[in-house]
Amino acid sequence: MDDKPFRPNVTGTQAPYDSPSYRSTGLRHPTQPLAPLPHTITETTGPRFSQSRFPATIDISVVGGRAAVGERIIVEGRVLDEDGRPVPHTMIELWQANAAGRYAHPSDRHDAPLDGNFRGTGRAFTDADGKYRFVTIKPGAYPWGNHFNAWRPNHIHYSLFGPGFATRLITQMYFPGDPLLPLDPIFNCVPDAGARERLIGVFDIGIAKPDWALGYRFDIVLRGRGATPVQAADEHGEH
Ligand SMILES: [Fe+2]
């Protein structure tokens, strides 16, 4: 294990813990300054997840051989560390709304249809080069109670662990050209425009599969100057 401490985040590339426009942060942000801790084995190591105990489900566009409703998409990318090296064999989990903007979860009361062929949760492991791939359905926008007429842009929630607790990342992938992005308090909590851009998947016709699915690239960087910003789970995603 490399015992070099992880780099601190670059100012402005992560959302402040208290972001008043994202109302629920007011209920959960620390009220005391954080105490910096030296990086010991506690921070530089973390849980290891094996595919034998945590089976991968990379195609979540089909349940029991029946296709979900919506626009089938392929999302692939690489997981990289702060030095641009691939993070191999690490677990990635995702969760998302269906094409109508509804989560398959009891707490979601949005007046939009559920889809019996879409559960909205997936798990993948990066290969030796840090690459991962999912097949899913493009999620729909949905309303939330943050403010009057608030709608979340299309997004996919991601959870990654990386090599240690210091690289734990909860984030969201957004879609290019979404008109809701400039209005979304969660996306816009990240002050730095370049860092926000790293949260948007890149449309890639090279990933698209002819006559079958469109494709997006979403590379994820754990820690460092080019780190993918944290995006807290929203009220549905926390479940
Ligand atoms: Fe969400």
Side-chain angles (χ1 to χ4, degrees):
M1 171 62 67
D2 185 352
D3 62 359
K4 182 182 69 180
F6 293 104
R7 296 191 190 102
N9 292 318
V10 177
T11 302
T13 63
Q14 295 287 344
Y17 292 108
D18 184 17
S19 301
S21 62
Y22 178 11
R23 279 174 39 201
S24 62
T25 61
L27 302 173
R28 62 182 187 227
H29 72 87
T31 57
Q32 301 289 324
L34 300 186
L37 291 174
H39 288 156
T40 66
I41 195 168
T42 303
E43 288 73 35
T44 60
T45 62
R48 293 289 182 271
F49 300 97
S50 67
Q51 290 202 53
S52 58
R53 289 194 61 194
F54 298 91
T57 306
I58 68 166
D59 185 348
I60 65 169
S61 71
V62 174
V63 171
R66 299 166 68 94
V69 172
E71 180 185 334
R72 185 186 297 115
I73 59 172
I74 299 164
V75 181
E76 66 179 45
R78 297 179 80 201
V79 180
L80 303 167
D81 72 10
E82 60 186 274
D83 296 315
R85 297 174 300 199
V87 180
H89 313 303
T90 197
M91 188 177 75
I92 307 178
E93 292 177 303
L94 64 73
W95 64 102
Q96 61 166 90
N98 68 20
R102 178 85 183 264
Y103 284 92
H105 191 278
S107 75
D108 190 346
R109 306 291 173 84
H110 178 30
D111 180 21
L114 286 167
D115 182 345
N117 300 324
F118 191 74
R119 299 189 183 120
T121 58
R123 179 184 294 134
F125 288 81
T126 57
D127 67 12
D129 298 320
K131 294 179 182 169
Y132 75 92
R133 182 175 190 268
F134 285 106
V135 179
T136 183
I137 296 296
K138 188 174 183 182
Y142 60 81
W144 63 310
N146 189 72
H147 57 274
F148 174 72
N149 211 8
W151 291 77
R152 295 292 336 272
N154 308 134
H155 63 279
I156 299 176
H157 295 276
Y158 275 75
S159 165
L160 298 98
F161 287 83
F165 280 111
T167 58
R168 179 82 167 103
L169 177 66
I170 302 286
T171 193
Q172 301 179 34
M173 176 194 129
Y174 299 93
F175 289 81
D178 191 326
L180 289 168
L181 281 174
L183 306 176
D184 183 52
I186 298 182
F187 176 70
N188 289 291
C189 280
V190 177
D192 183 82
R196 288 198 300 275
E197 197 67 28
R198 294 199 287 275
L199 294 167
I200 303 175
V202 177
F203 175 74
D204 188 338
I205 196 68
I207 294 173
K209 191 170 168 184
D211 304 323
W212 196 69
L214 290 176
Y216 293 86
R217 179 172 304 287
F218 186 52
D219 293 335
I220 299 164
V221 179
L222 304 177
R223 301 282 305 203
R225 181 169 294 278
T228 306
V230 171
Q231 289 278 273
D234 47 52
E235 71 267 41
H236 305 309
E238 283 164 359
H239 298 288

